[in-house]
Amino acid sequence: MASGNAITASWRAGSAHGQAARALAWAATLWFVVTVAGQLVFAAYVVLLYGGAALRGNFGQWNAVMTHGHVAGDGAGNAATGIHLLMAATIMLSGALQLVPRLRALAPVFHRWNGRLYLAAAVGASVTGIYMIWWRGAVGDLVQHIGTSVNGILVLVFAGMALRRILVRDVAAHRRWAMRLFLAVSGVWFFRVGLMFWLAVNGGPAGFDPGTFRGPFLSFLAFAQYLLPLAVLEIYLVCRVRGGAGAQWLMACVLSGLTLALGVGIAVATVGMWLPHMLMAWR
């Protein structure tokens, strides 16, 4: 009888752990789908607004949203801005494809070449972004500039580690570094979405001056835009591999809550910022 009870208890524990693992997998998948959908909208916004203006030769339209987007006579700075925008759109479009397991399995050659493109775009966006912050001019204060610059440096580090791990055929480590790179590269996008969520929750600006774009909340967000997603990723990786059923259920709930917050931020950003400028670009 004792043996039978032990078997039953073991089966129930295994069943509970399996349900928790599936819930965590579904929560992670939902987060990824919502994130990618939001990034694709952002990519369309960049292409239509900035790319459309460039094709029409109306570079002054770059200043509609971006501070010092186009400065007459500053050839080097304008080139850096153009490269940064092109790399940003490339990252949004190619990054999601790199993390789809099914695509990796069905099209390994595409995965390798798209990975090379993604790494190059990430490095290009990071270098030009840092240049734009310190030599081109950007909104915000010193704390925000430092926070965003650290984000750019982490992108370079993670890109180097992802490349190094795959060159020695350490696929598992390569994938972990690739996920960290994806989150770090998405830092500026997380900033925008996080800010829109904050505005929606508070019914307007709170913790910062919208005129100067300075304040404690923006200083916090300049670091949280990448540190928070990276911290969640590390906890998720531990829970997925070594966590018990309780930890996995808790992580699934956390991811679901973050997905809801992302969805709100994406919706507000799309309706209030991205879509109006996309429509304006067509006029």
Side-chain angles (χ1 to χ4, degrees), residues 157-235:
V157 172
F158 294 165
M161 291 302 299
L163 178 60
R164 181 181 179 185
R165 289 296 91 199
I166 198 59
L167 288 177
V168 297
R169 299 294 188 268
D170 188 350
V171 177
H174 166 74
R175 288 176 180 171
R176 290 193 297 271
W177 285 110
M179 286 189 283
R180 293 174 184 126
L181 175 61
F182 176 79
L183 294 179
V185 163
S186 302
V188 175
W189 181 82
F190 283 130
F191 185 98
R192 287 167 168 78
V193 173
L195 177 58
M196 292 301 105
F197 172 76
W198 180 257
L199 293 175
V201 169
N202 290 280
F208 71 96
D209 182 351
T212 62
F213 208 67
R214 298 181 177 186
F217 174 72
L218 295 181
S219 297
F220 160 79
L221 193 58
F223 290 90
Q225 62 180 328
Y226 53 93
L227 293 180
L228 178 58
L230 288 171
V232 172
L233 172 63
E234 297 305 320
I235 298 172

Side-chain angles (χ1 to χ4, degrees), residues 65-131:
V65 178
M66 183 186 301
T67 303
H68 308 303
H70 184 272
V71 178
D74 185 8
N78 293 333
T81 302
I83 293 172
H84 183 77
L85 292 169
L86 177 61
M87 296 300 100
T90 301
I91 287 168
M92 296 293 114
L93 294 171
S94 68
L97 298 176
Q98 283 302 100
L99 298 181
V100 179
R102 185 71 172 169
L103 186 59
R104 289 200 303 265
L106 294 176
V109 175
F110 172 80
H111 177 74
R112 287 193 293 271
W113 281 102
N114 188 56
R116 295 183 180 105
L117 173 64
Y118 185 67
L119 285 177
V123 171
S126 178
V127 172
T128 54
I130 293 174
Y131 169 84

Side-chain angles (χ1 to χ4, degrees), residues 22-81:
R22 286 192 293 272
L24 180 57
W26 276 107
T29 300
L30 180 60
W31 177 91
F32 181 70
V33 170
V34 171
T35 298
V36 169
Q39 292 191 349
L40 289 178
V41 175
F42 180 69
Y45 156 77
V46 171
V47 170
L48 290 176
L49 177 61
Y50 297 101
L55 289 175
R56 293 190 300 270
N58 183 19
F59 289 97
Q61 193 174 10
W62 287 10
N63 298 319
V65 178
M66 183 186 301
T67 303
H68 308 303
H70 184 272
V71 178
D74 185 8
N78 293 333
T81 302

Side-chain angles (χ1 to χ4, degrees), residues 23-31 34 232 248-264:
L24 180 57
W26 276 107
T29 300
L30 180 60
W31 177 91
V34 171
V232 172
Q248 291 185 341
W249 274 114
L250 179 59
M251 191 69 233
C253 291
V254 170
L255 281 177
S256 298
L258 291 174
T259 301
L260 178 60
L262 272 177
V264 172

